[in-house]
Amino acid sequence: MDVLSQGRAAVYEEPIGPAGVRIRERPRTEPQPGAVAVAIRAASINHLDLWLAHGAQRITPPRVIAADGAGVVEASGDPAWKTGDEVVIFPTLCCWECEWCRKGENVRCASFGVLGEHSDGTACELIHIDARNIFRKPKSLSWEESAAFPLTFLTAWRMLTTRARLQPGETVLVVGAGAGVAVAAICIAKHLGARVLATSRSEAKRKLAVELGAEAAFDSAAFSKAVREVTKDGVEVVFEHVGPATLDESMRSLAMGGRIVTCGSTSGVKAEITMPRLFFRQADLLGSTMGNASEFDAVLKAIDAGLRPVVDKIYPLDRVQDALTRVDTSEQFGKVVLSVAGD
Ligand SMILES: [Zn+2]
């Protein structure tokens, strides 16, 4: 079923960056059978919203942005949910009915997509969405924290657990440590009992990465040397999302039998690989995007066991252009959140 974003909403209208996302008013309706209407309390920005706003995603506007949202059920077309339930939204779009979906592999569904990219999104007052995309809000998190974790924690969880098979006691190197997904990776890797190293171009972000639990954080230039100084043999897992600007150094940082796992390439789409580093080291190069409902459930359980997202800064929905600009200029550490309705 179609996702409907209603009430006041942040709408991508023109591919000119943050200035092309504007607040518009959309009519409100009752949810269809099987859908739930959620009054959004907070949403959050991902780098994906910037790709969209700059016209890089080939999405035809208008489109309401944002994949992350938390709020209160206002009306339900599904008996599983009732008015007043506090919920978070699973940001993976899928059909829920095909063979892959029934096996729990939502990311392999032919209708796979990302909320707020392939449908309207959460940066609005009211969203109608498939009841199967709704999960209970973690009791221990504020509204802003609840909107800060879904996409990045789901993505980083799948990357580190399902794909890279990270084990307690192993060392993971998180590249580009300011980005939301990288901050999520630091939090999750620590939670799973791994040793964490990080890189960032920004001294302030390196300091924050260490405060968050990284053992050490290195400058992005030629970081493999520093990594080898503290690990001797290299790291078991490299968490990548930068791509061509860092991939060579990431491969140089890898231990024998190591795994590089990537969910993005913010520095460009084509990268060169020195092949002997891949095969002589018995290395794995792993791709991953978003995650399954079962992985979202695992993130919720980890949150109940103490895992916490990092909120960088909170803006009211009306200041969505400022929120987007903060991510566009890579000023953030953790998540930039939109407050939609106050407590
Ligand atoms: Zn499907």
Side-chain angles (χ1 to χ4, degrees):
M1 73 184 60
D2 287 343
V3 176
L4 300 173
S5 303
Q6 306 192 333
R8 278 167 55 256
V11 185
Y12 159 56
E13 294 188 328
E14 251 188 291
I16 55 170
V21 178
R22 296 162 193 139
I23 300 295
R24 301 290 185 218
E25 180 84 30
R26 294 191 162 191
R28 292 168 182 255
T29 57
E30 285 297 308
Q32 299 289 315
V36 176
V38 178
I40 296 290
R41 302 294 293 268
S44 79
I45 303 293
N46 291 290
H47 206 97
L48 186 60
D49 298 307
L50 274 312
W51 293 126
L52 196 74
H54 285 290
Q57 296 300 100
R58 296 198 205 111
I59 299 292
T60 309
R63 177 129 304 167
V64 176
I65 66 162
D68 291 322
V72 181
V73 172
E74 188 168 288
S76 180
D78 186 291
W81 298 101
K82 61 179 193 314
T83 304
D85 285 343
E86 298 188 344
V87 300
V88 289
I89 296 171
F90 168 57
T92 300
L93 299 174
C94 59
C95 79
W96 296 104
E97 308 290 346
C98 71
E99 199 180 328
W100 287 117
C101 281
R102 278 187 279 119
K103 278 190 200 164
E105 288 286 338
N106 311 105
V107 292
R108 299 184 68 168
C109 176
S111 308
F112 167 84
V114 183
L115 183 63
E117 183 190 7
H118 305 103
S119 71
D120 275 335
T122 57
C124 61
E125 289 181 310
L126 188 73
I127 192 166
H128 292 199
I129 191 163
D130 192 302
R132 291 167 286 194
N133 281 81
I134 300 295
F135 288 72
R136 291 217 178 268
K137 170 188 168 287
K139 282 191 169 56
S140 57
L141 300 190
S142 67
W143 287 112
E144 288 79 12
E145 287 172 322
S146 297
F149 81 84
L151 183 141
T152 54
F153 275 64
L154 174 65
T155 301
W157 184 271
R158 175 174 172 80
M159 289 170 74
L160 290 174
T161 62
T162 312
R163 302 294 281 139
R165 311 174 305 280
L166 180 67
Q167 301 300 313
E170 287 189 326
T171 303
V172 53
L173 173 68
V174 178
V175 170
V181 73
V183 172
I186 295 173
C187 297
I188 291 168
K190 286 297 292 177
H191 182 80
L192 296 172
R195 179 184 178 200
V196 179
L197 303 173
T199 77
S200 175
R201 283 177 296 183
S202 147
E203 195 185 337
K205 290 181 186 182
R206 292 198 292 274
K207 196 160 165 274
L208 288 166
V210 169
E211 278 172 24
L212 200 57
E215 185 183 300
F218 311 117
D219 186 69
S220 298
F223 57 79
S224 64
K225 193 165 171 281
V227 168
R228 291 210 163 261
E229 271 166 21
V230 300
T231 59
K232 197 162 141 264
D233 298 327
V235 300
E236 282 81 16
V237 174
V238 179
F239 186 98
E240 255 289 347
H241 58 99
V242 179
T246 52
L247 189 61
D248 189 57
E249 283 297 303
S250 291
M251 295 205 64
R252 286 172 187 267
S253 303
L254 215 53
M256 185 65 80
R259 293 87 75 192
I260 292 189
V261 62
T262 180
C263 66
S265 55
T266 49
S267 60
V269 292
K270 282 189 183 171
E272 218 169 53
I273 292 172
T274 305
M275 292 304 291
R277 287 205 188 100
L278 191 63
F279 55 77
F280 278 132
R281 284 186 196 162
Q282 308 286 344
D284 288 349
L285 183 54
L286 304 162
S288 192
T289 198
M290 300 295 285
N292 297 318
S294 59
E295 289 160 330
F296 195 64
D297 210 41
V299 168
L300 291 169
K301 286 193 171 73
I303 288 170
D304 286 343
L307 182 64
R308 283 284 171 287
V310 175
V311 173
D312 169 73
K313 203 167 174 187
I314 301 165
Y315 294 85
L317 179 63
D318 287 347
R319 289 186 58 203
V320 64
Q321 292 183 354
D322 294 336
L324 286 164
T325 300
R326 185 164 174 82
V327 179
D328 204 22
T329 51
S330 299
E331 287 167 71
Q332 87 282 14
F333 186 89
K335 293 285 293 181
V336 173
V337 173
L338 297 169
S339 178
V340 178
D343 286 296

